[in-house]
Amino acid sequence: MRASYAIGLLYSTTGPYGAIGRDALDGALMALEEVNADEGFGFTLSPVTANPEGVIDRYHALCEAAIREGGCRQIVGTITSLSRKEVLPTIEKHDALLWYICPYEGFESSEAVIYTGAAPNQHIVPLFQHVLPRWGTRAVLLGSNYIWGWEVNRVARELIGACGGEVLAERYLPIGSEDVGRLVQEVREKRPDFILNNLIGPSSYAFFRAYQALAESDPTFGPDRCPIVSCNLTECELGLIGPAGIGHLSSAIYFGGVDTAENRSFRDRARARFGAGRRNSAFLAGGYAAVRMLAEAIREAGTDAPEALRPVLHARRFATPLGPLGIDPRTNHAALTPCLGRIGADGGFEILDRAAAPVAPDPYLVEFDAAALARRVLKPGAAPRLKRVK
């Protein structure tokens, strides 16, 4: 009889960011079922699923129940930084381990979290390295009104300032709000070089559609002249945006079209499971990779105890659809391979660039060289306005 380990899967599959939660959960369950079908693991994984529905007050109770009643020492889940921070005290209190797969704003490191989503040097920095030299340094910054929007836009202000640029406006919407008319009007008035989009869920989708209408009346705002650029947009949301997304840009640690042996195999298995019409996103691949890494670490450690898993996770790399993943023992963040993509008419991303090798995590941006970015962007003779990114 194989041993069984309970794993909490805490994703909002309904609510304002339900499309992301569904992809993350589907990827996690896909990996879990593959592990359970493989007797080489010597154990099975038992899912304890919960859907907070994007309601922040539900996360703590559901996480507590998964640990205390469900017997989970591992929780794979949460999408927003608000929800991650809501459950973190519970995770730490019970000496559990949270697996967080989403891009986030950085400036955090907990022994109780394995961060397999992108830190700022793996999402906004490569995005700006591409965008600023090509489109310019005058930007409008948009965000949902919580820590992701605030902090990523704060880093963006510092990067733009380091390159002698200007933030023309910085505006926020409540999570789920579709009241984007004033944002579009301000973009029309300010006429930036690009718009940084840190809106999430319906707010983001509504802005794309309204911006398309603006571009139809004034070609200055077409994606080839003034693009919307994002750090967190993936394939699972493109169907909700529709044709309004075509031509705009996003950075990610994975796009479905990444051409590696591991991803080709993953695409084939995902197609067999979900059907040919399903687009693979960083959240689908990330949920899969987290559970697969966890299972491999349990097999090596012989237990699911967090104190036994951390040394295993720190000591090796894992082959995943995202590329080879290693966890930095200093920060518990993953080395990841940033990509830049342009939304195509086929409902996927055209990959414009991908790092040649995994990029070491730098969640506090202590290693980031703002002067080097400025040299790439500034015209000869221009003076940078350097300020340390904190």
Side-chain angles (χ1 to χ4, degrees):
M1 180 99 178
R2 295 162 72 187
S4 182
Y5 297 104
I7 295 180
L9 301 176
L10 186 61
Y11 283 117
S12 289
T13 54
T14 57
Y17 41 89
I20 295 172
R22 290 189 293 273
D23 251 32
L25 179 63
D26 282 349
L29 289 173
M30 178 179 169
L32 183 146
E33 291 181 16
E34 287 183 2
V35 168
N36 289 351
D38 184 352
E39 294 195 2
F41 277 95
F43 57 84
T44 61
L45 302 176
S46 176
V48 177
T49 60
N51 174 18
E53 300 179 302
V55 178
I56 193 62
D57 293 340
R58 296 178 182 170
Y59 279 89
H60 164 75
L62 291 172
C63 183
E64 184 89 19
I67 295 171
R68 292 173 63 90
E69 300 167 22
C72 301
R73 291 198 275 191
Q74 310 289 326
I75 303 291
V76 181
T78 73
I79 297 294
T80 66
S81 288
L82 190 61
S83 58
R84 183 188 70 255
K85 289 181 180 294
E86 183 72 10
V87 304
L88 187 51
T90 302
I91 297 286
E92 292 175 337
K93 178 178 74 171
H94 292 289
D95 295 320
L97 198 59
L98 174 68
W99 293 72
Y100 187 68
I101 71 166
C102 301
Y104 87 113
E105 65 284 344
F107 300 89
E108 178 183 296
S109 178
S110 171
E111 190 179 54
V113 183
I114 300 297
Y115 304 84
T116 63
N121 73 306
Q122 297 161 327
H123 61 71
I124 191 166
V125 168
L127 178 66
F128 273 23
Q129 286 173 335
H130 179 90
V131 169
L132 297 180
R134 290 169 174 81
W135 274 275
T137 58
R138 300 169 63 258
V140 167
L141 312 182
L142 305 179
S144 291
N145 194 32
Y146 77 110
I147 189 169
W148 160 263
W150 305 333
E151 288 298 299
V152 177
N153 281 344
R154 180 181 64 82
V155 173
R157 288 197 307 272
E158 301 292 357
L159 298 178
I160 290 168
C163 296
E166 182 181 4
V167 174
L168 303 176
E170 182 175 342
R171 299 290 178 261
Y172 295 90
L173 288 180
I175 292 175
S177 172
E178 297 183 40
D179 184 16
V180 299
R182 65 183 178 86
L183 305 183
V184 173
Q185 180 59 34
E186 190 155 20
V187 168
R188 180 196 291 269
E189 293 169 358
K190 300 293 186 181
R191 308 187 83 79
D193 297 323
F194 67 92
I195 300 105
L196 176 63
N197 170 38
N198 287 310
L199 299 164
I200 67 167
S203 305
S204 177
Y205 315 150
F207 181 77
F208 271 98
R209 291 190 291 268
Y211 190 72
Q212 180 188 39
L214 173 61
E216 288 171 353
S217 65
D218 184 346
T220 300
F221 297 100
D224 57 334
R225 299 177 66 180
C226 182
I228 301 170
V229 304
S230 308
C231 301
N232 60 347
L233 190 65
T234 73
E235 288 90 342
C236 66
E237 298 182 278
L238 296 187
L240 296 166
I241 296 171
I246 295 172
H248 297 289
L249 307 177
S250 186
S251 62
I253 56 169
Y254 171 92
F255 291 118
V258 167
D259 190 23
T260 63
E262 291 83 0
N263 191 46
R264 288 193 295 272
S265 175
F266 176 70
R267 282 201 306 262
D268 289 344
R269 300 195 311 279
R271 187 179 299 113
R273 181 181 177 88
F274 302 114
R278 180 71 170 265
R279 292 278 181 179
N280 292 358
S281 75
F283 298 108
L284 184 76
Y288 177 91
V291 171
R292 187 77 191 196
M293 289 172 65
L294 171 58
E296 291 184 23
I298 291 172
R299 178 166 59 184
E300 190 165 330
T303 175
D304 69 341
E307 65 272 16
L309 296 186
R310 276 187 286 264
V312 175
L313 294 168
H314 296 157
R316 54 167 288 194
R317 284 193 171 187
F318 298 81
T320 80
L322 308 175
L325 291 195
I327 304 298
D328 175 18
R330 301 171 304 163
T331 66
N332 271 357
H333 286 65
L336 298 164
T337 308
C339 308
L340 188 91
R342 180 168 54 213
I343 302 171
D346 63 350
F349 280 90
E350 174 194 0
I351 299 174
L352 302 179
D353 197 11
R354 184 171 186 257
V359 173
D362 185 14
Y364 296 92
L365 292 177
V366 294
E367 304 295 333
F368 176 65
D369 186 351
L373 176 62
R375 287 193 296 271
R376 285 182 66 168
V377 172
L378 289 170
K379 296 177 181 178
R385 299 200 305 268
L386 296 181
K387 182 177 178 182
R388 185 172 181 268
V389 177
K390 297 180 179 178

